[in-house]
Amino acid sequence: EIMVVTGVQTCALPILYWVKEPTRYRYLASYAVLMTASLYTHYYSVLCVLPHWLYLLLLRVYRPDEERYIARPAWWIANLSMAVLYIPWLFSLLDVITHFKNIQAAGSISWLLATTPYTFPSSIWAFLTLKKAHAVFWPIYWGLPLVIVIVAGWVTLFDRSRYKFYLLLGLYTFVPIVTLLLISLVVPTFMERYVVFAALGLPMILALAVIRVESFSPALAVIAVIAVLALETLGLKYNYSQQEDLNYPRNAAIEPFEEMGNYINQRAQPGDQIITDGKLLYFSAAYYNATGIVPMLYDRALSNSSSSGANAYGPLTLLHEHWDTIYLSDLAHLPAGTKRVWWLAEPS
């Protein structure tokens, strides 16, 4: 229980203490404050609330002799307090939702892909190794996620302890991921790095499985530890070599921004113009630029669409105020006096 309590996300810790001592209302007060802070930090943290409610509901089902935690006024007051505390930011959230088309027009969510049968298994691979492993032999590709799900079910659903803390860990890990996958069937919203807070439960579930296996087969437990460490070592390799980061590979060899910036800074001349091909490159180009030349942005996707580009929504909001002076919609319309162009583009 100690390992689970110290491992589950901080927002869930007060619930574990409150379940043990339901008259200690300071635990619920801490829960409300921490959850509100997480909501202000990351929209998707609202997915954490669902497993908390499910846990208390299932605790009543599994342990009918226990107190009805989910029916206690203190629990409802804590959740109502979270809703009230979130009201100031709720107006901003509603503004984003009602202007979702503006975000799409700016290309701000173009990296969010529709859910496919490969999304979940690839995500399990990515959570454990930072690599989606599409090239792995198919029985291995599908086998690892299947084993993880079976192990998680074995550890969490067959929890014989009084307060079912392992059940909470399983719910906390899988409910946000599965919920977001289901939402993505309608509107693409899923990306591994958005639910890393939930994926942190996977290593803890595997650790609990090893402890349980060790109780009846120490040799099998050793094999399990070696297998888990091999997966995690592979992930560490990708991490420290900067080949993967649950988004896309970014390192000095693939995108040598500093090197390119220094090269241009040393060789820029009057009449030069710096143009970035793609909005994702613009901010890096501007950061390393010391020439005094204001970089311009050319984006093929925006140029080929009816969008006007920056519309005060999405990451291009930072460029909205100066959009008319930095955006180049047509390469035939370079600023007057341009003699040379430094063209910065993603490697093909």
Side-chain angles (χ1 to χ4, degrees):
E1 288 185 358
I2 293 176
M3 181 175 64
V4 175
V5 169
T6 56
V8 177
Q9 190 196 39
T10 305
C11 292
L13 291 177
I15 293 182
L16 302 184
Y17 288 111
W18 177 66
V19 166
K20 285 187 171 182
E21 300 179 89
T23 58
R24 298 291 182 92
Y25 298 127
R26 65 172 181 265
Y27 295 137
L28 285 181
S30 301
Y31 171 75
V33 171
L34 291 170
M35 273 305 309
T36 302
S38 68
L39 289 171
Y40 273 95
T41 305
H42 183 29
Y43 285 135
Y44 285 13
S45 63
V46 69
L47 298 173
C48 293
V49 179
L50 183 57
H52 298 160
W53 279 84
L54 283 175
Y55 166 66
L56 296 181
L57 180 61
L58 291 174
L59 191 62
R60 177 61 184 165
V61 174
Y62 278 107
R63 304 284 301 188
D65 56 317
E66 292 287 344
E67 293 194 48
R68 298 183 179 182
Y69 297 101
I70 199 168
R72 291 179 70 92
W75 171 248
W76 287 83
I77 292 173
N79 283 268
L80 181 61
S81 300
M82 288 158 45
V84 172
L85 290 171
Y86 192 64
I87 287 176
W89 190 254
L90 190 60
F91 294 104
S92 177
L93 175 60
L94 291 175
D95 182 61
V96 169
I97 294 174
T98 55
H99 292 86
F100 193 69
K101 290 184 178 180
N102 297 68
I103 298 176
Q104 290 178 309
S108 301
I109 57 171
S110 58
W111 58 83
L112 293 174
L113 303 177
T115 299
T116 72
Y118 297 94
T119 304
F120 180 76
S122 293
S123 298
I124 296 297
W125 276 98
F127 291 143
L128 295 174
T129 69
L130 294 181
K131 199 81 168 179
K132 296 188 177 182
H134 288 153
V136 173
F137 186 41
W138 72 264
I140 299 177
Y141 172 79
W142 290 99
L144 176 65
L146 179 61
V147 169
I148 295 297
V149 170
I150 292 174
V151 168
W154 177 54
V155 169
T156 61
L157 297 181
F158 294 92
D159 181 5
R160 304 301 181 188
S161 62
R162 177 181 177 183
Y163 296 109
K164 306 290 183 181
F165 289 157
Y166 299 170
L167 175 64
L168 174 58
L169 177 60
L171 292 171
Y172 165 78
T173 302
F174 287 99
V175 168
I177 295 172
V178 173
T179 301
L180 197 58
L181 284 171
L182 293 176
I183 295 174
S184 291
L185 293 174
V186 181
V187 179
T189 52
F190 183 85
M191 197 169 192
E192 287 84 4
R193 60 189 174 93
Y194 294 164
V195 286
V196 166
F197 62 85
L200 292 176
L202 288 175
M204 290 182 280
I205 290 175
L206 293 176
L208 291 172
V210 169
I211 293 174
R212 186 172 292 182
V213 169
E214 193 273 339
S215 64
F216 61 82
S217 177
L220 186 58
V222 171
I223 295 174
V225 168
I226 293 174
V228 172
L229 289 179
L231 282 173
E232 299 293 350
T233 301
L234 185 61
L236 289 173
K237 172 183 176 295
Y238 290 133
N239 183 52
Y240 284 104
S241 62
Q242 295 183 317
Q243 296 179 40
E244 295 288 344
D245 66 352
L246 292 182
N247 191 10
Y248 60 89
R250 287 178 289 190
N251 56 56
I254 297 176
E255 296 178 336
F257 289 123
E258 185 173 11
E259 182 180 344
M260 290 190 298
N262 292 336
Y263 186 89
I264 296 173
N265 293 337
Q266 296 168 6
R267 293 166 176 79
Q269 300 176 10
D272 285 2
Q273 187 56 251
I274 301 174
I275 299 177
T276 62
D277 184 1
K279 54 185 173 290
L280 295 180
L281 295 175
Y282 186 85
F283 297 105
S284 296
Y287 178 82
Y288 290 107
N289 174 38
T291 63
I293 303 170
V294 178
M296 300 192 71
L297 167 64
Y298 174 75
D299 190 284
R300 300 173 191 273
L302 293 176
S303 298
N304 295 332
S305 70
S306 59
S307 169
S308 60
N311 51 34
Y313 291 92
L316 291 180
T317 300
L318 297 173
L319 305 178
H320 180 61
E321 184 178 354
H322 306 286
W323 188 254
D324 293 337
T325 58
I326 67 172
Y327 179 60
L328 185 64
S329 59
D330 191 333
L331 296 179
H333 300 151
L334 290 170
T338 300
K339 298 179 181 178
R340 298 192 311 173
V341 171
W342 295 96
W343 185 264
L344 305 182
E346 289 276 5
S348 57

